[in-house]
Structures are given as C-alpha cells and as structure tokens.
PDB file of all heavy atoms in Angstrom:
ATOM      1  N   PRO Q  11      72.967 140.588   5.726  1.00 97.00           N
ATOM      2  CA  PRO Q  11      73.264 141.348   4.585  1.00 97.00           C
ATOM      3  C   PRO Q  11      72.713 140.730   3.424  1.00 97.00           C
ATOM      4  O   PRO Q  11      72.169 139.593   3.388  1.00 97.00           O
ATOM      5  CB  PRO Q  11      74.828 141.150   4.536  1.00 97.00           C
ATOM      6  CG  PRO Q  11      75.097 139.924   5.192  1.00 97.00           C
ATOM      7  CD  PRO Q  11      74.127 139.801   6.254  1.00 97.00           C
ATOM      8  N   PRO Q  12      72.709 141.465   2.213  1.00 98.00           N
ATOM      9  CA  PRO Q  12      72.132 140.848   0.974  1.00 98.00           C
ATOM     10  C   PRO Q  12      72.857 139.445   0.712  1.00 98.00           C
ATOM     11  O   PRO Q  12      73.961 139.411   0.455  1.00 98.00           O
ATOM     12  CB  PRO Q  12      72.470 141.901  -0.104  1.00 98.00           C
ATOM     13  CG  PRO Q  12      72.476 143.162   0.682  1.00 98.00           C
ATOM     14  CD  PRO Q  12      73.152 142.740   1.928  1.00 98.00           C
ATOM     15  N   THR Q  13      71.953 138.402   0.642  1.00 98.00           N
ATOM     16  CA  THR Q  13      72.524 137.058   0.243  1.00 98.00           C
ATOM     17  C   THR Q  13      71.216 136.291  -0.067  1.00 98.00           C
ATOM     18  O   THR Q  13      70.110 136.670   0.116  1.00 98.00           O
ATOM     19  CB  THR Q  13      73.134 136.445   1.543  1.00 98.00           C
ATOM     20  OG1 THR Q  13      73.771 135.289   1.213  1.00 98.00           O
ATOM     21  CG2 THR Q  13      72.219 136.198   2.739  1.00 98.00           C
ATOM     22  N   VAL Q  14      71.504 135.104  -0.609  1.00 98.00           N
ATOM     23  CA  VAL Q  14      70.509 134.068  -0.917  1.00 98.00           C
ATOM     24  C   VAL Q  14      70.524 132.998   0.090  1.00 98.00           C
ATOM     25  O   VAL Q  14      71.582 132.341   0.209  1.00 98.00           O
ATOM     26  CB  VAL Q  14      70.720 133.488  -2.360  1.00 98.00           C
ATOM     27  CG1 VAL Q  14      69.574 132.387  -2.562  1.00 98.00           C
ATOM     28  CG2 VAL Q  14      70.648 134.466  -3.453  1.00 98.00           C
ATOM     29  N   ALA Q  15      69.680 133.135   1.015  1.00 98.00           N
ATOM     30  CA  ALA Q  15      69.549 132.121   2.087  1.00 98.00           C
ATOM     31  C   ALA Q  15      68.598 130.907   1.891  1.00 98.00           C
ATOM     32  O   ALA Q  15      67.550 131.225   1.427  1.00 98.00           O
ATOM     33  CB  ALA Q  15      69.095 132.767   3.403  1.00 98.00           C
ATOM     34  N   ILE Q  16      69.085 129.691   1.964  1.00 98.00           N
ATOM     35  CA  ILE Q  16      68.358 128.514   1.565  1.00 98.00           C
ATOM     36  C   ILE Q  16      68.227 127.580   2.809  1.00 98.00           C
ATOM     37  O   ILE Q  16      69.339 127.206   3.369  1.00 98.00           O
ATOM     38  CB  ILE Q  16      68.997 127.807   0.441  1.00 98.00           C
ATOM     39  CG1 ILE Q  16      69.236 128.672  -0.741  1.00 98.00           C
ATOM     40  CG2 ILE Q  16      68.387 126.540   0.133  1.00 98.00           C
ATOM     41  CD1 ILE Q  16      70.134 128.121  -1.788  1.00 98.00           C
ATOM     42  N   THR Q  17      67.077 127.277   3.202  1.00 98.00           N
ATOM     43  CA  THR Q  17      66.915 126.192   4.149  1.00 98.00           C
ATOM     44  C   THR Q  17      67.322 124.862   3.724  1.00 98.00           C
ATOM     45  O   THR Q  17      66.464 124.289   2.965  1.00 98.00           O
ATOM     46  CB  THR Q  17      65.552 126.254   4.817  1.00 98.00           C
ATOM     47  OG1 THR Q  17      64.483 126.154   3.673  1.00 98.00           O
ATOM     48  CG2 THR Q  17      65.174 127.544   5.521  1.00 98.00           C
ATOM     49  N   ALA Q  18      68.400 124.394   4.010  1.00 97.00           N
ATOM     50  CA  ALA Q  18      68.926 123.144   3.276  1.00 97.00           C
ATOM     51  C   ALA Q  18      68.908 121.912   4.013  1.00 97.00           C
ATOM     52  O   ALA Q  18      69.257 120.882   3.524  1.00 97.00           O
ATOM     53  CB  ALA Q  18      70.394 123.456   2.840  1.00 97.00           C
ATOM     54  N   GLY Q  19      68.511 121.893   5.367  1.00 91.00           N
ATOM     55  CA  GLY Q  19      68.393 120.741   6.097  1.00 91.00           C
ATOM     56  C   GLY Q  19      69.557 119.857   6.171  1.00 91.00           C
ATOM     57  O   GLY Q  19      70.705 120.296   6.663  1.00 91.00           O
ATOM     58  N   ALA Q  20      69.545 118.601   5.630  1.00 91.00           N
ATOM     59  CA  ALA Q  20      70.610 117.757   5.708  1.00 91.00           C
ATOM     60  C   ALA Q  20      71.615 117.887   4.457  1.00 91.00           C
ATOM     61  O   ALA Q  20      72.497 116.908   4.197  1.00 91.00           O
ATOM     62  CB  ALA Q  20      70.160 116.355   5.721  1.00 91.00           C
ATOM     63  N   LEU Q  21      71.498 118.984   3.696  1.00 95.00           N
ATOM     64  CA  LEU Q  21      72.398 119.155   2.649  1.00 95.00           C
ATOM     65  C   LEU Q  21      73.902 119.018   3.005  1.00 95.00           C
ATOM     66  O   LEU Q  21      74.694 118.497   2.233  1.00 95.00           O
ATOM     67  CB  LEU Q  21      72.132 120.493   1.943  1.00 95.00           C
ATOM     68  CG  LEU Q  21      73.068 120.859   0.831  1.00 95.00           C
ATOM     69  CD1 LEU Q  21      72.966 119.916  -0.360  1.00 95.00           C
ATOM     70  CD2 LEU Q  21      72.798 122.289   0.307  1.00 95.00           C
ATOM     71  N   VAL Q  22      74.225 119.550   4.178  1.00 97.00           N
ATOM     72  CA  VAL Q  22      75.603 119.482   4.541  1.00 97.00           C
ATOM     73  C   VAL Q  22      76.077 118.115   4.733  1.00 97.00           C
ATOM     74  O   VAL Q  22      77.216 117.681   4.269  1.00 97.00           O
ATOM     75  CB  VAL Q  22      75.809 120.174   5.929  1.00 97.00           C
ATOM     76  CG1 VAL Q  22      75.038 119.451   7.017  1.00 97.00           C
ATOM     77  CG2 VAL Q  22      77.275 120.364   6.359  1.00 97.00           C
ATOM     78  N   ASP Q  23      75.237 117.112   5.127  1.00 94.00           N
ATOM     79  CA  ASP Q  23      75.634 115.744   5.196  1.00 94.00           C
ATOM     80  C   ASP Q  23      75.768 115.091   3.874  1.00 94.00           C
ATOM     81  O   ASP Q  23      76.673 114.309   3.563  1.00 94.00           O
ATOM     82  CB  ASP Q  23      74.599 114.879   5.969  1.00 94.00           C
ATOM     83  CG  ASP Q  23      74.568 115.435   7.383  1.00 94.00           C
ATOM     84  OD1 ASP Q  23      75.616 115.538   8.044  1.00 94.00           O
ATOM     85  OD2 ASP Q  23      73.431 115.699   7.903  1.00 94.00           O
ATOM     86  N   HIS Q  24      74.949 115.517   2.872  1.00 92.00           N
ATOM     87  CA  HIS Q  24      74.957 115.003   1.556  1.00 92.00           C
ATOM     88  C   HIS Q  24      76.271 115.568   0.823  1.00 92.00           C
ATOM     89  O   HIS Q  24      76.972 114.840   0.228  1.00 92.00           O
ATOM     90  CB  HIS Q  24      73.821 115.388   0.673  1.00 92.00           C
ATOM     91  CG  HIS Q  24      72.449 114.853   1.131  1.00 92.00           C
ATOM     92  ND1 HIS Q  24      72.162 113.539   0.629  1.00 92.00           N
ATOM     93  CD2 HIS Q  24      71.441 115.265   1.829  1.00 92.00           C
ATOM     94  CE1 HIS Q  24      70.973 113.235   1.191  1.00 92.00           C
ATOM     95  NE2 HIS Q  24      70.560 114.168   1.796  1.00 92.00           N
ATOM     96  N   ALA Q  25      76.606 116.839   1.023  1.00 96.00           N
ATOM     97  CA  ALA Q  25      77.735 117.384   0.469  1.00 96.00           C
ATOM     98  C   ALA Q  25      79.067 116.715   0.998  1.00 96.00           C
ATOM     99  O   ALA Q  25      79.954 116.628   0.238  1.00 96.00           O
ATOM    100  CB  ALA Q  25      77.751 118.894   0.652  1.00 96.00           C
ATOM    101  N   ALA Q  26      79.063 116.394   2.301  1.00 96.00           N
ATOM    102  CA  ALA Q  26      80.242 115.784   2.848  1.00 96.00           C
ATOM    103  C   ALA Q  26      80.394 114.306   2.556  1.00 96.00           C
ATOM    104  O   ALA Q  26      81.366 113.752   2.963  1.00 96.00           O
ATOM    105  CB  ALA Q  26      80.236 115.991   4.361  1.00 96.00           C
ATOM    106  N   GLY Q  27      79.325 113.741   1.766  1.00 92.00           N
ATOM    107  CA  GLY Q  27      79.310 112.383   1.497  1.00 92.00           C
ATOM    108  C   GLY Q  27      79.009 111.471   2.687  1.00 92.00           C
ATOM    109  O   GLY Q  27      79.141 110.266   2.656  1.00 92.00           O
ATOM    110  N   ARG Q  28      78.402 112.010   3.755  1.00 86.00           N
ATOM    111  CA  ARG Q  28      78.045 111.191   4.816  1.00 86.00           C
ATOM    112  C   ARG Q  28      76.632 110.554   4.619  1.00 86.00           C
ATOM    113  O   ARG Q  28      76.352 109.479   5.227  1.00 86.00           O
ATOM    114  CB  ARG Q  28      77.879 112.069   6.078  1.00 86.00           C
ATOM    115  CG  ARG Q  28      79.102 112.874   6.499  1.00 86.00           C
ATOM    116  CD  ARG Q  28      80.277 111.876   6.950  1.00 86.00           C
ATOM    117  NE  ARG Q  28      81.415 112.645   7.260  1.00 86.00           N
ATOM    118  CZ  ARG Q  28      81.837 112.872   8.606  1.00 86.00           C
ATOM    119  NH1 ARG Q  28      80.873 112.495   9.557  1.00 86.00           N
ATOM    120  NH2 ARG Q  28      82.868 113.509   8.888  1.00 86.00           N
ATOM    121  N   VAL Q  29      75.837 110.998   3.767  1.00 77.00           N
ATOM    122  CA  VAL Q  29      74.545 110.512   3.490  1.00 77.00           C
ATOM    123  C   VAL Q  29      74.389 110.516   1.953  1.00 77.00           C
ATOM    124  O   VAL Q  29      74.592 111.495   1.274  1.00 77.00           O
ATOM    125  CB  VAL Q  29      73.425 111.399   4.046  1.00 77.00           C
ATOM    126  CG1 VAL Q  29      72.025 110.810   3.609  1.00 77.00           C
ATOM    127  CG2 VAL Q  29      73.567 111.372   5.609  1.00 77.00           C
ATOM    128  N   ARG Q  30      73.930 109.357   1.447  1.00 71.00           N
ATOM    129  CA  ARG Q  30      73.648 109.238  -0.060  1.00 71.00           C
ATOM    130  C   ARG Q  30      72.177 109.394  -0.323  1.00 71.00           C
ATOM    131  O   ARG Q  30      71.233 108.921   0.413  1.00 71.00           O
ATOM    132  CB  ARG Q  30      73.983 107.890  -0.537  1.00 71.00           C
ATOM    133  CG  ARG Q  30      75.443 107.730  -0.759  1.00 71.00           C
ATOM    134  CD  ARG Q  30      75.818 106.489  -1.379  1.00 71.00           C
ATOM    135  NE  ARG Q  30      77.238 106.201  -1.555  1.00 71.00           N
ATOM    136  CZ  ARG Q  30      77.709 105.149  -2.225  1.00 71.00           C
ATOM    137  NH1 ARG Q  30      76.884 104.249  -2.695  1.00 71.00           N
ATOM    138  NH2 ARG Q  30      79.034 104.937  -2.451  1.00 71.00           N
ATOM    139  N   ARG Q  31      71.778 110.174  -1.436  1.00 65.00           N
ATOM    140  CA  ARG Q  31      70.442 110.233  -1.956  1.00 65.00           C
ATOM    141  C   ARG Q  31      70.000 109.016  -2.560  1.00 65.00           C
ATOM    142  O   ARG Q  31      70.774 108.329  -3.343  1.00 65.00           O
ATOM    143  CB  ARG Q  31      70.277 111.432  -2.746  1.00 65.00           C
ATOM    144  CG  ARG Q  31      70.291 112.777  -2.142  1.00 65.00           C
ATOM    145  CD  ARG Q  31      69.817 113.860  -3.027  1.00 65.00           C
ATOM    146  NE  ARG Q  31      68.476 113.610  -3.568  1.00 65.00           N
ATOM    147  CZ  ARG Q  31      67.371 113.692  -2.768  1.00 65.00           C
ATOM    148  NH1 ARG Q  31      67.439 114.203  -1.601  1.00 65.00           N
ATOM    149  NH2 ARG Q  31      66.166 113.459  -3.352  1.00 65.00           N
ATOM    150  N   PRO Q  32      68.833 108.546  -2.262  1.00 59.00           N
ATOM    151  CA  PRO Q  32      68.284 107.296  -2.962  1.00 59.00           C
ATOM    152  C   PRO Q  32      68.112 107.662  -4.470  1.00 59.00           C
ATOM    153  O   PRO Q  32      68.005 108.831  -4.873  1.00 59.00           O
ATOM    154  CB  PRO Q  32      66.910 107.070  -2.326  1.00 59.00           C
ATOM    155  CG  PRO Q  32      66.485 108.392  -1.792  1.00 59.00           C
ATOM    156  CD  PRO Q  32      67.760 109.121  -1.395  1.00 59.00           C
ATOM    157  N   PRO Q  33      67.847 106.672  -5.278  1.00 61.00           N
ATOM    158  CA  PRO Q  33      67.588 106.941  -6.747  1.00 61.00           C
ATOM    159  C   PRO Q  33      66.496 107.779  -6.804  1.00 61.00           C
ATOM    160  O   PRO Q  33      65.451 107.798  -6.179  1.00 61.00           O
ATOM    161  CB  PRO Q  33      67.505 105.497  -7.346  1.00 61.00           C
ATOM    162  CG  PRO Q  33      68.117 104.620  -6.338  1.00 61.00           C
ATOM    163  CD  PRO Q  33      67.985 105.264  -5.060  1.00 61.00           C
ATOM    164  N   ARG Q  34      66.305 108.572  -7.976  1.00 63.00           N
ATOM    165  CA  ARG Q  34      65.219 109.506  -8.330  1.00 63.00           C
ATOM    166  C   ARG Q  34      63.930 108.622  -8.415  1.00 63.00           C
ATOM    167  O   ARG Q  34      62.967 109.224  -7.930  1.00 63.00           O
ATOM    168  CB  ARG Q  34      65.597 110.182  -9.604  1.00 63.00           C
ATOM    169  CG  ARG Q  34      64.420 111.258 -10.013  1.00 63.00           C
ATOM    170  CD  ARG Q  34      64.354 112.315  -9.017  1.00 63.00           C
ATOM    171  NE  ARG Q  34      63.135 113.132  -9.244  1.00 63.00           N
ATOM    172  CZ  ARG Q  34      62.678 114.106  -8.477  1.00 63.00           C
ATOM    173  NH1 ARG Q  34      63.469 114.377  -7.443  1.00 63.00           N
ATOM    174  NH2 ARG Q  34      61.587 114.761  -8.710  1.00 63.00           N
ATOM    175  N   TRP Q  35      63.912 107.394  -8.836  1.00 53.00           N
ATOM    176  CA  TRP Q  35      62.726 106.766  -8.924  1.00 53.00           C
ATOM    177  C   TRP Q  35      62.111 106.410  -7.590  1.00 53.00           C
ATOM    178  O   TRP Q  35      60.889 106.306  -7.394  1.00 53.00           O
ATOM    179  CB  TRP Q  35      62.879 105.379  -9.714  1.00 53.00           C
ATOM    180  CG  TRP Q  35      63.722 104.419  -9.105  1.00 53.00           C
ATOM    181  CD1 TRP Q  35      65.125 104.211  -9.345  1.00 53.00           C
ATOM    182  CD2 TRP Q  35      63.325 103.420  -8.151  1.00 53.00           C
ATOM    183  NE1 TRP Q  35      65.545 103.153  -8.533  1.00 53.00           N
ATOM    184  CE2 TRP Q  35      64.580 102.616  -7.675  1.00 53.00           C
ATOM    185  CE3 TRP Q  35      62.222 103.054  -7.548  1.00 53.00           C
ATOM    186  CZ2 TRP Q  35      64.578 101.526  -6.851  1.00 53.00           C
ATOM    187  CZ3 TRP Q  35      62.174 102.045  -6.652  1.00 53.00           C
ATOM    188  CH2 TRP Q  35      63.260 101.252  -6.369  1.00 53.00           C
ATOM    189  N   VAL Q  36      62.859 106.321  -6.544  1.00 53.00           N
ATOM    190  CA  VAL Q  36      62.449 106.100  -5.168  1.00 53.00           C
ATOM    191  C   VAL Q  36      61.722 107.438  -4.763  1.00 53.00           C
ATOM    192  O   VAL Q  36      60.561 107.258  -4.220  1.00 53.00           O
ATOM    193  CB  VAL Q  36      63.608 105.848  -4.240  1.00 53.00           C
ATOM    194  CG1 VAL Q  36      63.063 105.814  -2.781  1.00 53.00           C
ATOM    195  CG2 VAL Q  36      64.261 104.475  -4.615  1.00 53.00           C
ATOM    196  N   ALA Q  37      62.227 108.549  -5.051  1.00 59.00           N
ATOM    197  CA  ALA Q  37      61.516 109.817  -4.645  1.00 59.00           C
ATOM    198  C   ALA Q  37      60.270 109.984  -5.507  1.00 59.00           C
ATOM    199  O   ALA Q  37      59.231 110.364  -5.048  1.00 59.00           O
ATOM    200  CB  ALA Q  37      62.476 110.956  -4.932  1.00 59.00           C
ATOM    201  N   ASN Q  38      60.376 109.662  -6.715  1.00 60.00           N
ATOM    202  CA  ASN Q  38      59.111 109.701  -7.594  1.00 60.00           C
ATOM    203  C   ASN Q  38      57.997 108.815  -7.107  1.00 60.00           C
ATOM    204  O   ASN Q  38      56.786 109.140  -7.337  1.00 60.00           O
ATOM    205  CB  ASN Q  38      59.495 109.369  -9.050  1.00 60.00           C
ATOM    206  CG  ASN Q  38      60.403 110.403  -9.819  1.00 60.00           C
ATOM    207  OD1 ASN Q  38      60.376 111.574  -9.318  1.00 60.00           O
ATOM    208  ND2 ASN Q  38      61.002 109.976 -10.848  1.00 60.00           N
ATOM    209  N   MET Q  39      58.288 107.708  -6.424  1.00 55.00           N
ATOM    210  CA  MET Q  39      57.306 106.882  -5.925  1.00 55.00           C
ATOM    211  C   MET Q  39      56.812 107.209  -4.503  1.00 55.00           C
ATOM    212  O   MET Q  39      55.904 106.733  -3.950  1.00 55.00           O
ATOM    213  CB  MET Q  39      57.818 105.392  -5.882  1.00 55.00           C
ATOM    214  CG  MET Q  39      57.991 104.746  -7.214  1.00 55.00           C
ATOM    215  SD  MET Q  39      58.692 103.094  -7.006  1.00 55.00           S
ATOM    216  CE  MET Q  39      57.231 102.244  -6.314  1.00 55.00           C
ATOM    217  N   GLY Q  40      57.391 108.389  -3.996  1.00 60.00           N
ATOM    218  CA  GLY Q  40      57.061 108.825  -2.653  1.00 60.00           C
ATOM    219  C   GLY Q  40      57.634 108.047  -1.455  1.00 60.00           C
ATOM    220  O   GLY Q  40      57.071 108.080  -0.374  1.00 60.00           O
ATOM    221  N   LEU Q  41      58.732 107.228  -1.729  1.00 59.00           N
ATOM    222  CA  LEU Q  41      59.241 106.348  -0.751  1.00 59.00           C
ATOM    223  C   LEU Q  41      60.549 106.910  -0.222  1.00 59.00           C
ATOM    224  O   LEU Q  41      61.194 106.150   0.597  1.00 59.00           O
ATOM    225  CB  LEU Q  41      59.451 104.962  -1.283  1.00 59.00           C
ATOM    226  CG  LEU Q  41      58.151 104.350  -1.839  1.00 59.00           C
ATOM    227  CD1 LEU Q  41      58.523 102.916  -2.567  1.00 59.00           C
ATOM    228  CD2 LEU Q  41      57.168 104.063  -0.637  1.00 59.00           C
ATOM    229  N   GLU Q  42      60.958 108.005  -0.462  1.00 66.00           N
ATOM    230  CA  GLU Q  42      62.216 108.543   0.084  1.00 66.00           C
ATOM    231  C   GLU Q  42      62.224 108.654   1.527  1.00 66.00           C
ATOM    232  O   GLU Q  42      63.280 108.282   2.233  1.00 66.00           O
ATOM    233  CB  GLU Q  42      62.481 109.978  -0.472  1.00 66.00           C
ATOM    234  CG  GLU Q  42      63.895 110.495  -0.082  1.00 66.00           C
ATOM    235  CD  GLU Q  42      64.219 111.825  -0.818  1.00 66.00           C
ATOM    236  OE1 GLU Q  42      63.349 112.348  -1.572  1.00 66.00           O
ATOM    237  OE2 GLU Q  42      65.327 112.263  -0.674  1.00 66.00           O
ATOM    238  N   TRP Q  43      61.055 108.841   2.097  1.00 57.00           N
ATOM    239  CA  TRP Q  43      60.895 108.795   3.663  1.00 57.00           C
ATOM    240  C   TRP Q  43      61.349 107.488   4.185  1.00 57.00           C
ATOM    241  O   TRP Q  43      61.964 107.345   5.314  1.00 57.00           O
ATOM    242  CB  TRP Q  43      59.608 109.246   4.070  1.00 57.00           C
ATOM    243  CG  TRP Q  43      58.581 108.240   3.719  1.00 57.00           C
ATOM    244  CD1 TRP Q  43      57.773 108.209   2.637  1.00 57.00           C
ATOM    245  CD2 TRP Q  43      57.988 107.155   4.625  1.00 57.00           C
ATOM    246  NE1 TRP Q  43      56.906 107.119   2.624  1.00 57.00           N
ATOM    247  CE2 TRP Q  43      57.054 106.466   3.901  1.00 57.00           C
ATOM    248  CE3 TRP Q  43      58.345 106.764   5.793  1.00 57.00           C
ATOM    249  CZ2 TRP Q  43      56.426 105.396   4.430  1.00 57.00           C
ATOM    250  CZ3 TRP Q  43      57.768 105.648   6.404  1.00 57.00           C
ATOM    251  CH2 TRP Q  43      56.708 104.918   5.637  1.00 57.00           C
ATOM    252  N   LEU Q  44      60.877 106.423   3.535  1.00 57.00           N
ATOM    253  CA  LEU Q  44      61.118 105.079   4.032  1.00 57.00           C
ATOM    254  C   LEU Q  44      62.685 104.700   3.991  1.00 57.00           C
ATOM    255  O   LEU Q  44      63.173 104.168   4.891  1.00 57.00           O
ATOM    256  CB  LEU Q  44      60.427 104.027   3.178  1.00 57.00           C
ATOM    257  CG  LEU Q  44      60.445 102.623   3.612  1.00 57.00           C
ATOM    258  CD1 LEU Q  44      59.799 102.509   5.136  1.00 57.00           C
ATOM    259  CD2 LEU Q  44      59.655 101.748   2.702  1.00 57.00           C
ATOM    260  N   VAL Q  45      63.341 105.256   3.012  1.00 58.00           N
ATOM    261  CA  VAL Q  45      64.749 105.157   2.862  1.00 58.00           C
ATOM    262  C   VAL Q  45      65.467 105.785   3.916  1.00 58.00           C
ATOM    263  O   VAL Q  45      66.388 105.276   4.712  1.00 58.00           O
ATOM    264  CB  VAL Q  45      65.242 105.545   1.475  1.00 58.00           C
ATOM    265  CG1 VAL Q  45      66.799 105.483   1.436  1.00 58.00           C
ATOM    266  CG2 VAL Q  45      64.692 104.555   0.350  1.00 58.00           C
ATOM    267  N   ARG Q  46      65.028 107.074   4.108  1.00 59.00           N
ATOM    268  CA  ARG Q  46      65.702 107.876   5.341  1.00 59.00           C
ATOM    269  C   ARG Q  46      65.451 107.240   6.695  1.00 59.00           C
ATOM    270  O   ARG Q  46      66.404 107.283   7.415  1.00 59.00           O
ATOM    271  CB  ARG Q  46      65.192 109.275   5.146  1.00 59.00           C
ATOM    272  CG  ARG Q  46      65.392 110.054   4.069  1.00 59.00           C
ATOM    273  CD  ARG Q  46      65.110 111.581   4.246  1.00 59.00           C
ATOM    274  NE  ARG Q  46      65.918 112.134   5.244  1.00 59.00           N
ATOM    275  CZ  ARG Q  46      65.592 113.347   5.792  1.00 59.00           C
ATOM    276  NH1 ARG Q  46      64.566 114.002   5.357  1.00 59.00           N
ATOM    277  NH2 ARG Q  46      66.276 113.800   6.797  1.00 59.00           N
ATOM    278  N   LEU Q  47      64.248 106.771   6.908  1.00 54.00           N
ATOM    279  CA  LEU Q  47      64.028 106.115   8.151  1.00 54.00           C
ATOM    280  C   LEU Q  47      64.835 104.854   8.243  1.00 54.00           C
ATOM    281  O   LEU Q  47      65.376 104.634   9.486  1.00 54.00           O
ATOM    282  CB  LEU Q  47      62.389 105.668   8.195  1.00 54.00           C
ATOM    283  CG  LEU Q  47      62.027 104.962   9.354  1.00 54.00           C
ATOM    284  CD1 LEU Q  47      62.134 105.836  10.635  1.00 54.00           C
ATOM    285  CD2 LEU Q  47      60.603 104.531   9.254  1.00 54.00           C
ATOM    286  N   SER Q  48      65.061 104.074   7.271  1.00 62.00           N
ATOM    287  CA  SER Q  48      65.788 102.846   7.409  1.00 62.00           C
ATOM    288  C   SER Q  48      67.391 103.185   7.695  1.00 62.00           C
ATOM    289  O   SER Q  48      67.989 102.411   8.365  1.00 62.00           O
ATOM    290  CB  SER Q  48      65.743 102.043   6.188  1.00 62.00           C
ATOM    291  OG  SER Q  48      66.372 102.691   5.016  1.00 62.00           O
ATOM    292  N   ARG Q  49      67.790 104.323   7.249  1.00 68.00           N
ATOM    293  CA  ARG Q  49      69.080 104.801   7.442  1.00 68.00           C
ATOM    294  C   ARG Q  49      69.314 105.404   8.803  1.00 68.00           C
ATOM    295  O   ARG Q  49      70.469 105.267   9.376  1.00 68.00           O
ATOM    296  CB  ARG Q  49      69.581 105.703   6.339  1.00 68.00           C
ATOM    297  CG  ARG Q  49      69.730 105.102   4.989  1.00 68.00           C
ATOM    298  CD  ARG Q  49      69.989 106.163   3.901  1.00 68.00           C
ATOM    299  NE  ARG Q  49      70.319 105.546   2.588  1.00 68.00           N
ATOM    300  CZ  ARG Q  49      70.443 106.121   1.499  1.00 68.00           C
ATOM    301  NH1 ARG Q  49      70.411 107.413   1.420  1.00 68.00           N
ATOM    302  NH2 ARG Q  49      70.638 105.485   0.408  1.00 68.00           N
ATOM    303  N   GLU Q  50      68.451 106.135   9.298  1.00 64.00           N
ATOM    304  CA  GLU Q  50      68.583 106.823  10.494  1.00 64.00           C
ATOM    305  C   GLU Q  50      67.228 106.690  11.375  1.00 64.00           C
ATOM    306  O   GLU Q  50      66.580 107.621  11.733  1.00 64.00           O
ATOM    307  CB  GLU Q  50      68.740 108.449  10.313  1.00 64.00           C
ATOM    308  CG  GLU Q  50      69.870 108.803   9.524  1.00 64.00           C
ATOM    309  CD  GLU Q  50      69.913 110.181   9.311  1.00 64.00           C
ATOM    310  OE1 GLU Q  50      70.562 110.975  10.084  1.00 64.00           O
ATOM    311  OE2 GLU Q  50      69.390 110.726   8.161  1.00 64.00           O
ATOM    312  N   PRO Q  51      67.056 105.420  11.883  1.00 73.00           N
ATOM    313  CA  PRO Q  51      65.897 105.131  12.640  1.00 73.00           C
ATOM    314  C   PRO Q  51      65.699 105.833  13.944  1.00 73.00           C
ATOM    315  O   PRO Q  51      64.643 106.252  14.294  1.00 73.00           O
ATOM    316  CB  PRO Q  51      65.971 103.520  12.708  1.00 73.00           C
ATOM    317  CG  PRO Q  51      67.311 103.253  12.664  1.00 73.00           C
ATOM    318  CD  PRO Q  51      67.883 104.246  11.588  1.00 73.00           C
ATOM    319  N   LYS Q  52      66.829 105.883  14.637  1.00 67.00           N
ATOM    320  CA  LYS Q  52      66.881 106.582  15.996  1.00 67.00           C
ATOM    321  C   LYS Q  52      66.410 108.010  15.913  1.00 67.00           C
ATOM    322  O   LYS Q  52      65.856 108.555  16.737  1.00 67.00           O
ATOM    323  CB  LYS Q  52      68.200 106.474  16.683  1.00 67.00           C
ATOM    324  CG  LYS Q  52      68.594 105.029  17.103  1.00 67.00           C
ATOM    325  CD  LYS Q  52      69.886 105.012  17.915  1.00 67.00           C
ATOM    326  CE  LYS Q  52      70.095 103.567  18.390  1.00 67.00           C
ATOM    327  NZ  LYS Q  52      71.382 103.513  19.059  1.00 67.00           N
TER     328      LYS Q  52
END
C-alpha cells in the first residue's frame, strides 16, 4: 500500500539500544567500518 519504505539495515538494533553509533568524526574519517568490525567480528 502507499507508504514510505526505507532500507534501514541495523537501524532496529540502534533504536533498541543494542548497538551504538560511533562519533560523527569517525564516520567523517571513513573509519566507521572498522568500528563495526571490532564490535561484530564474527
């Protein structure tokens, strides 16, 4: 039906407080992937 559908990935984990986003400066440096890898290596 008419709706706004968003591919949100891990947003549900962020919203539930299960995962924290790194500081914005980390993303600006292009290192967010490294933070995510360190948190969920498996």
Side-chain angles (χ1 to χ4, degrees):
T13 189
V14 178
I16 302 167
T17 55
L21 174 63
V22 64
D23 297 310
H24 290 281
R28 301 295 182 95
V29 176
R30 285 187 178 182
R31 285 193 56 77
R34 181 64 190 174
W35 65 265
V36 174
N38 289 339
M39 292 181 65
L41 297 176
E42 188 171 1
W43 68 272
L44 186 58
V45 174
R46 293 190 64 192
L47 178 62
S48 67
R49 289 174 175 173
E50 300 180 88
K52 289 184 179 180

